[in-house]
Amino acid sequence: MMINSLYQLSNKGSLRTLSFILALFLTAAFFLNLNQFSTALRLDLQKTPKDAKKWWLLGQVGMNLGNGKLAFDSYQQANKLEPDNLDYKLSYARMLMFSEDQTDKLKGNQLLREIIRQDHSNPEALSLLAFSYFEGEDYKMAAVTWAMMLRLLEPDDPRVPMLEKSIRAARDALALQEEEKAKSVTPEK
C-alpha cells in the first residue's frame, strides 16, 4: 500500500515529495539503528566497564541521538579512565563548556588549558577557549587566542575569514569596553 502510494506520488510529478518521504524513512532507520547500537554498546560496557574507547564512542552516539546526559556521562567516564587522552579530554571539556553551571564551565576551561599545554596547535581547543573568553567578556584574550589560531592556518583555509571577523568583533568589543570603563572612571563636568 505505502509503496503504491509512493509510486503514485512520483508518477504525479511530485519527486520532491518522494525525496522528502525517503529522507524521513532513512533518518528514522538511521536513528533506530543508532539506538540499537547504543543499547548494544551499553550492554558491552557492563562487561568491560574500563574500556575508555567504548565510553567515548557511547558519548559520540549520545551526541548524535541528541542525548546530552548520555554524552556527558560517557565522555566524563572516558576522560576519567584515560585522563591523558586529548580526544577524550576535549570531548568532555566541550560538554562542560556548554553547561549552564559556572563550575562546569570553569572545569571545562581548565581542561582546555591542559589540552593546549600538551598540544598548542589544537584548533578545536583554541576555538572553544576563545569563545569562552569572549563569552566571559575577556575580549583581549579572545582576540589573542583567535589570532593564535589564525597563525596556524594556511592563508587559503576557509576558516580564515571567520577568524578574522571574530578577531575584529573581539577588538571592537574591547574598544567599547575600554570606552565604557573610561567613562565610569572619569567624572562628567
Side-chain angles (χ1 to χ4, degrees):
M1 172 72 179
M2 187 159 56
I3 301 280
N4 189 32
S5 296
L6 291 173
Y7 178 76
Q8 287 175 353
L9 281 172
S10 67
N11 278 339
K12 291 180 182 175
S14 185
L15 197 53
R16 179 178 284 168
T17 303
L18 179 62
S19 295
F20 176 73
I21 291 169
L22 285 173
L24 287 176
F25 281 123
L26 289 173
T27 302
F30 171 76
F31 280 110
L32 288 175
N33 286 334
L34 203 52
N35 275 321
Q36 289 173 343
F37 181 70
S38 171
T39 302
L41 194 53
R42 288 181 204 206
L43 290 172
D44 191 45
L45 278 166
Q46 288 178 355
K47 297 175 197 162
T48 57
K50 301 252 187 242
D51 190 332
K53 187 173 189 174
K54 287 179 184 172
W55 281 109
W56 181 82
L57 185 57
L58 185 59
Q60 295 290 92
V61 170
M63 290 296 290
N64 282 298
L65 289 172
N67 186 336
K69 176 144 178 48
L70 175 63
F72 181 88
D73 293 343
S74 300
Y75 289 146
Q76 182 180 38
Q77 186 64 20
N79 185 62
K80 180 180 174 185
L81 291 169
E82 289 187 27
D84 293 331
N85 184 306
L86 296 184
D87 290 327
Y88 302 165
K89 190 177 289 195
L90 183 60
S91 296
Y92 182 43
R94 185 183 319 108
M95 293 299 292
L96 290 166
M97 296 302 293
F98 290 111
S99 170
E100 295 295 320
D101 185 328
Q102 283 304 107
T103 306
D104 284 348
K105 286 182 185 269
L106 288 172
K107 182 174 172 95
N109 202 297
Q110 176 188 357
L111 289 175
L112 289 174
R113 290 171 192 271
E114 289 174 19
I115 293 166
I116 293 168
R117 270 195 294 277
Q118 290 177 288
D119 176 10
H120 67 277
S121 64
N122 187 309
E124 192 170 353
L126 288 167
S127 179
L128 284 168
L129 192 57
F131 279 112
S132 171
Y133 286 135
F134 194 86
E135 183 181 56
E137 297 183 6
D138 189 347
Y139 302 119
K140 182 176 182 180
M141 285 305 297
V144 166
T145 306
W146 278 319
M148 198 162 52
M149 282 180 66
L150 191 58
R151 285 191 296 273
L152 297 171
L153 299 178
E154 297 294 323
D156 61 342
D157 189 297
R159 295 173 288 184
V160 167
M162 181 201 57
L163 282 171
E164 290 171 338
K165 185 177 179 181
S166 296
I167 292 167
R168 280 192 304 275
R171 287 179 179 160
D172 291 347
L174 178 61
L176 188 61
Q177 188 181 56
E178 289 174 348
E179 186 178 302
E180 290 295 319
K181 189 187 278 186
K183 282 182 185 176
S184 68
V185 172
T186 309
E188 298 217 9
K189 294 182 180 183

